[in-house]
Structures are given as C-alpha cells and as structure tokens.
Amino acid sequence: RNYQITGFKWLKTLSSYGLGGILADDMGLGKTFQTIAFLLSEKKDISLPSIVICPTSIMYNWESEVEKFAPGLKALVVSGPKDYRGELIKKAKNADIIITSYPLIRRDINSYKDMEFAYCILDEAQHIKNPSSVNARSVKDIRARGYFALTGTPIENNLTELWSIFDFLMPGYLLSHKKFSERFERPIALGQDKEAIKELRRHIKPFILRRLKGDVLKELPPKIESKRTLDMTTEQKKVYLAYHQQIKSQVE
C-alpha cells in the first residue's frame, strides 16, 4: 500500500545516511511488513545478518512473517535452553535475520558482543523506556551498522522514555540524559517553555514516522468477519453449564 511504500522509502533514506529512526505506525498498519521489505532490500549490499529483538510472544510471528513475505531471507529464532541457544548463536552468521526476545538478550548479551550485525531492530521498543533497565543496557551493547525501533507508543508516561529509545538509535543525538532533562524534559513537564517543545519537535521530527489508521483509512482493505460454529467438548460443556447454573441462581 502507498503508506507502506512511504515507510519503506523512509527506512531506506535514513539508513543511507547512517541514521536510525522510530517507525511508530498505529497497530495493524504493517510495521513488521515494512521492516522485512527493508531488510530484504539491504541483503544484496550487506552480507551481515540483522537482529530483531521483540517480546517473547511474537518471536515466532516474526519468523512466519519473514517466511511469508520474504522467503529468500533465512530467519533463525534463538530460543530454548541456554546450551541450545549458544549453539544457535554460533550459527547466526549463516542466517539473514536473527530473532530473539528481550528476556533472552539480557541473558545472552555476552555471546553477541563480538558479533557485528547489519541492523538491530527493536520491536515494541517501549521495553527499553527505562534507560537504567537491564533491557536497555543490553540492547545498547549490540554492535550494528544501523538501528531502528518499532513502537506504536514511543512515549507512554514521560520524555525520558523517548530519550532512551534515541539513545539506542543515535547515542548523543539528544544529549546526555542529564542535559536532556535540564533542557527539555523539566521545562516541558512544568509547562513553562513552549520554545523547548518546538525545539525538541524540530530535533525528532525527521526520525519518527507515525501514521494512524484514520490517516490511511482509504487504503485499508474492508473489514472481514468470519463466523464459525463449533461444538463444545464434554469438559467445556460441564464448565459452561456450571457457570450457567451459578449465574441463573444469582439472577433469580
């Protein structure tokens, strides 16, 4: 879709200048798809693998999306017991995309320190919103030629969360955390400095791409509802009837 082509070109443009960014599209607009298209396009120029770090619950979703949209890319999910993960990491150079989780990167970071990646992608990047957390410190030890973050919520509570993501993408761009707090966070939080808001927006605008569903509604396919009728199992019927009887007696 047109907005996805725009997102793809935005990723390509930033990477060509050695810069990173936050793809902050609304949920369901295809952040994973746009990123896979970008990584596929980079394969011919960079022989190094890329690494995707995401929540545990979506590791295998990433793998299936790669297989579906870019079968030419070899995805390797690093999961399982410690020794097994160690064996997988040794094979990482033979893969195009390494997929692991935030809990596992904390445990395995020493195994990655001598490796170089083409790109390091953080999915649900709000997981590093606390700059002093083990999550944040671990992912910032990954060596890559380019860094990107995917999140529908780059700021949930305060501007430190935004600073932490930028510290991963381009360390030093938004100053040290102390100077950032003095120059931007505190004045903005107190509502006393409109110039600080304008200046911060000027700094971050080129590096954040956010589209809401309402912005691209005409491009989205129609909603499809599928209704399927299934019989409950014997155990499910017992549970259902027990709750039904309990609620019926409460109503009466």
Side-chain angles (χ1 to χ4, degrees):
R1 302 182 185 283
N2 288 334
Y3 74 87
Q4 293 172 330
I5 293 171
T6 300
F8 166 77
K9 289 180 177 178
W10 178 80
L11 293 167
K12 292 287 286 183
T13 301
L14 287 180
S15 67
S16 69
Y17 287 103
L19 302 169
I22 304 173
L23 183 57
D25 285 347
D26 209 355
M27 185 177 67
L29 295 186
K31 294 189 289 292
T32 303
F33 173 67
Q34 292 169 74
T35 306
I36 292 171
F38 164 69
L39 293 177
L40 178 62
S41 74
E42 293 286 301
K43 182 184 176 182
K44 64 180 182 294
D45 298 317
I46 305 176
S47 58
L48 295 170
S50 293
I51 184 167
V52 172
I53 303 166
C54 61
T56 305
S57 59
I58 58 174
M59 281 197 300
Y60 291 99
N61 180 66
W62 262 94
E63 182 185 38
S64 65
E65 293 284 277
V66 171
E67 290 174 353
K68 179 179 179 180
F69 294 116
L73 293 178
K74 182 181 178 183
L76 176 67
V77 176
V78 176
S79 185
K82 184 177 180 179
D83 292 344
Y84 180 65
R85 296 199 308 274
E87 291 301 314
L88 291 175
I89 292 170
K90 290 177 184 177
K91 301 175 183 176
K93 292 180 181 178
N94 299 321
D96 297 307
I97 301 177
I98 313 303
I99 303 166
T100 191
S101 67
Y102 289 102
L104 292 180
I105 201 70
R106 298 198 301 259
R107 300 172 195 169
D108 299 336
I109 188 59
N110 289 329
S111 300
Y112 291 106
K113 281 186 175 178
D114 294 329
M115 297 176 64
E116 184 183 5
F117 294 96
Y119 295 96
C120 180
I121 311 289
L122 296 190
D123 196 1
E124 302 291 346
Q126 63 272 20
H127 280 73
I128 67 161
K129 64 184 181 181
N130 180 354
S132 61
S133 67
V134 180
N135 273 353
R137 295 200 305 270
S138 297
V139 301
K140 291 171 187 179
D141 280 340
I142 296 287
R143 292 193 303 124
R145 296 187 181 184
Y147 301 85
F148 287 98
L150 315 179
T151 175
T153 52
I155 304 174
E156 290 181 314
N157 300 302
N158 55 63
L159 287 175
T160 286
E161 299 169 0
L162 182 69
W163 179 87
S164 185
I165 296 176
F166 267 91
D167 188 49
F168 160 76
L169 299 172
M170 297 179 289
Y173 177 68
L174 289 183
L175 312 173
S176 67
H177 187 213
K178 182 180 178 183
K179 289 182 179 179
F180 177 82
S181 297
E182 292 171 354
R183 187 168 172 180
F184 296 111
E185 187 167 19
R186 289 175 194 164
I188 291 172
L190 294 171
Q192 298 173 343
D193 197 338
K194 292 182 180 179
E195 282 303 312
I197 297 174
K198 289 181 181 178
E199 186 181 355
L200 180 59
R201 280 178 178 163
R202 282 198 300 270
H203 276 77
I204 66 175
K205 188 176 180 180
F207 307 107
I208 300 180
L209 181 62
R210 178 164 175 77
R211 282 79 57 89
L212 303 177
K213 285 192 178 78
D215 301 330
V216 295
L217 206 56
K218 292 179 181 177
E219 293 189 54
L220 297 180
K223 183 178 179 181
I224 299 173
E225 293 185 6
S226 300
K227 295 183 179 180
R228 301 184 183 182
T229 304
L230 303 173
D231 289 329
M232 285 190 282
T233 64
T234 303
E235 290 299 313
Q236 287 172 335
K237 285 179 182 177
K238 288 179 182 177
V239 174
Y240 178 83
L241 290 171
Y243 274 111
H244 182 272
Q245 190 60 41
Q246 181 183 349
I247 293 168
K248 185 179 178 183
S249 62
Q250 288 175 354
V251 172
E252 288 174 349

